[in-house]
Amino acid sequence: MAAQGGVVFQEKVSRLLSGHNGKPVLKPNRTLALKDAVANRKPKKGEATCITEMSVLMACWKQNNFVDSLCSNEITNFYTCVEKAQAAMKNKSVQGNIQEGRLPPKQATALLKRYPSLRTEI
């Protein structure tokens, strides 16, 4: 049943591309070729860390009219959590730039420029 649906889809695409006079009905507005560079986007930020420590600290401040000396234990807990998170992020960046099977944009652009694609349509 799935194969029959695939055949119907291929027939429909071939009809749209062929047209009556042999000219394609679907006409791309750009050439169908890859560029030799990728957009230089920054990777998305990870999840927030130390949220529970921050909320405990803020609750303590609210209970004690924002006096730091009464919430010194919570403040130290929050700062140690932040230091651990920063150390973990630094280790993650030092281990390698290839994360989750993706190349950073600079490396991808360097590879694409080294091996450029054909400028003609496929």
Side-chain angles (χ1 to χ4, degrees), residues 14-64:
S14 65
R15 264 189 278 125
L16 286 173
L17 289 174
S18 66
H20 294 292
N21 300 332
K23 293 182 180 178
V25 176
L26 297 175
K27 188 173 182 181
N29 55 359
R30 295 182 186 158
T31 59
L32 299 176
L34 295 176
K35 293 187 177 184
D36 292 333
V38 293
N40 194 9
R41 295 183 180 145
K42 293 183 180 180
K44 292 182 180 179
K45 299 280 184 181
E47 61 184 44
T49 56
C50 304
I51 296 293
T52 55
E53 288 82 359
M54 189 184 335
S55 61
V56 168
L57 175 62
M58 289 184 179
C60 180
W61 275 339
K62 190 171 183 180
Q63 288 176 353
N64 296 313

Side-chain angles (χ1 to χ4, degrees), residues 49-114:
T49 56
C50 304
I51 296 293
T52 55
E53 288 82 359
M54 189 184 335
S55 61
V56 168
L57 175 62
M58 289 184 179
C60 180
W61 275 339
K62 190 171 183 180
Q63 288 176 353
N64 296 313
N65 293 326
F66 300 97
V67 178
D68 284 342
S69 61
L70 298 175
C71 299
S72 62
N73 190 23
E74 287 81 1
I75 291 172
T76 55
N77 288 342
F78 175 67
Y79 281 130
T80 55
C81 179
V82 169
E83 288 174 3
K84 287 179 186 177
Q86 287 177 345
M89 289 291 281
K90 189 177 267 188
N91 284 340
K92 191 175 182 182
S93 66
V94 168
Q95 285 178 354
N97 289 337
I98 300 175
Q99 297 173 355
E100 301 169 4
R102 291 184 173 212
L103 288 174
K106 286 184 180 179
Q107 288 181 355
T109 301
L111 285 173
L112 286 170
K113 286 187 178 181
R114 188 181 304 168

